[in-house]
Amino acid sequence: KEQLRRNDDGSYLTKLPWIPSHPDLKDNSAGALARLNTLIRKLKKTPALLDEYHNIIQLQLKEGILEPAPVTPTGEHIHYMPHRAVIKESAETTKIRIVGDMSASPGNNLPSLNDCLHVGPPLQPHIQHILMRNRLKPIALLGDINQAFLQIWVDERDRDALRLYWVDDLSKFEPISLG
């Protein structure tokens, strides 16, 4: 709460919850690029999935969830988040999701981003209680929390710790840095 700030437009700005005196994050760009190469090679086996994954990235860029990362970093922590596709063929709406791997380490005995951040409270047990309480009431209200997350911004000084690689053009492997 101490580092949460409300902007004039009603959105919120926060820093990442760094552990005081956390270990230094080492350069993990080579590992993130290797994981990107593996991801694209796997997705190329099913071109429709590769196109859908690319479209999700493009939509997130358009909506401001992702942005091109500056060439010159603005923060003290620079970290690239490896990501992968989680595919659920039986889903009616979203068959593919992008999942970041914050526990990826650049090497043996080197810290991951997860090792440097405070762990928040577990939310899954609370969901079960909410569902049980809803069953006891005659009326339940639902809301789309997707837009709620668009109201929370990460402080510019911490955005470099949340970078990821993708390609601008699927026909050639030329990674770009997003954040």
Side-chain angles (χ1 to χ4, degrees), residues 17 117-123:
L117 299 174
H118 282 289
V119 178
L123 299 177

Side-chain angles (χ1 to χ4, degrees), residues 10-84:
S11 64
Y12 291 91
L13 182 71
T14 187
K15 295 185 70 167
L16 293 178
W18 297 102
I19 295 172
S21 67
H22 62 81
D24 287 336
L25 283 171
K26 302 298 182 196
D27 183 7
N28 72 329
S29 58
L33 283 170
R35 295 266 303 265
L36 175 65
N37 193 14
T38 301
L39 171 67
I40 290 176
R41 197 170 54 248
K42 284 181 182 178
L43 288 175
K44 277 185 176 178
K45 293 176 183 174
T46 311
L49 287 177
L50 176 61
D51 288 340
E52 190 173 347
Y53 199 94
H54 183 68
N55 290 339
I56 292 169
I57 297 271
Q58 296 304 313
L59 180 63
Q60 290 182 356
L61 280 165
K62 181 181 171 189
E63 291 179 346
I65 297 168
L66 291 174
E67 62 188 10
V71 177
T72 305
T74 57
E76 62 181 275
H77 306 290
I78 302 160
H79 187 78
Y80 288 87
M81 180 179 56
H83 51 97
R84 64 187 179 91

Side-chain angles (χ1 to χ4, degrees), residues 89-108:
E89 293 292 338
S90 62
E92 291 184 28
T93 55
T94 308
K95 295 194 182 305
I96 188 168
R97 288 184 302 118
I98 298 173
V99 176
D101 184 359
M102 303 299 230
S103 63
S105 171
N108 291 339

Side-chain angles (χ1 to χ4, degrees), residues 113-132:
L113 185 59
N114 277 353
D115 295 330
C116 299
L117 299 174
H118 282 289
V119 178
L123 299 177
Q124 290 82 1
H126 299 289
I127 292 172
Q128 182 181 15
H129 294 292
I130 291 168
L131 292 173
M132 294 300 287

